[in-house]
Amino acid sequence: CRQEHLNCKVQDFKDQGNYYEYTERSTKMRTGETDDPKARRKYNNKIFRGNGDERDPYVALKKYLGHIPEGIDEFYWQSIDIPKENIWYKKLTMTRDGLANIMKRMVEKAEIKNEGNFTNTSGQKTAIQSLRGHFDPLAISELTGYANPSSIQSYSHNSVQIQKEMFDLFQLQSTRIRPLP
């Protein structure tokens, strides 16, 4: 997965007005060269426009793209500690190790406790868990790029609310069963 990010290019993101569409490059799992559904995604990823505040992913991506040096193809760049102009990034691409430690650095800068709970993949896990209560596992696997819904099973957990609903339903059903004479 890290190599896929390192291969990412600025031109892979197209501003469609209300969203950026990301066209994924070939990966070891999805080459796009066959008719096998696992060889390509059903649709390109999209980053939709939100409410326009500083946490809006669309706005953040637009801002990021506006601060990298012009004429650059690669997507990930090493940041300048104290930028003096509109350019916030060095003309040095991020290294494999730099990309691997991105979440660790963000957690440190945000001064979040329990740093060990946050990894580069924990965001994906959290997103999948939050979608589970609202969408079909097949739809989630299509969105996240997993070829099979069972691949996201390890990310699943039932919230306390769902556990309570299941318990209540079980209790209701068990009261309807008559004991044997």
Side-chain angles (χ1 to χ4, degrees), residues 2-20:
R2 193 176 317 153
Q3 190 59 45
E4 294 168 21
H5 280 278
L6 288 172
N7 293 341
C8 188
K9 306 288 184 197
V10 171
Q11 61 265 26
D12 297 341
F13 294 85
K14 301 276 190 253
D15 189 347
Q16 302 294 343
N18 287 328
Y19 61 89
Y20 273 97

Side-chain angles (χ1 to χ4, degrees), residues 55-164:
R55 296 177 54 107
D56 182 337
Y58 176 91
V59 171
L61 178 57
K62 191 171 200 77
K63 189 172 190 176
Y64 173 77
L65 293 173
H67 289 288
I68 59 174
E70 287 189 34
I72 300 296
D73 289 335
E74 284 73 19
F75 185 75
Y76 291 101
W77 294 91
Q78 294 181 24
S79 62
I80 297 172
D81 293 331
I82 303 173
K84 293 184 171 93
E85 297 177 13
N86 192 34
I87 304 302
W88 294 1
Y89 301 93
K90 303 173 187 176
K91 288 189 177 183
L92 293 170
T93 56
M94 191 170 285
T95 64
R96 184 175 175 83
D97 290 339
L99 192 58
N101 294 316
I102 221 168
M103 181 64 79
K104 180 181 175 185
R105 288 193 314 274
M106 288 191 311
V107 166
E108 287 170 359
K109 285 190 179 222
E111 298 177 1
I112 297 173
K113 306 254 187 279
N114 299 324
E115 297 94 8
N117 294 335
F118 296 95
T119 64
N120 287 354
T121 57
S122 64
Q124 181 177 21
K125 179 178 180 180
T126 301
I128 289 172
Q129 287 174 341
S130 65
L131 294 172
R132 292 279 309 185
H134 305 284
F135 298 97
D136 178 69
L138 180 60
I140 296 169
S141 65
E142 286 178 2
L143 175 71
T144 58
Y146 285 94
N148 189 329
S150 65
S151 301
I152 61 173
Q153 203 63 28
S154 65
Y155 293 157
S156 299
H157 77 284
N158 290 320
S159 68
V160 173
Q161 177 63 32
I162 296 292
Q163 292 174 45
K164 172 84 169 86

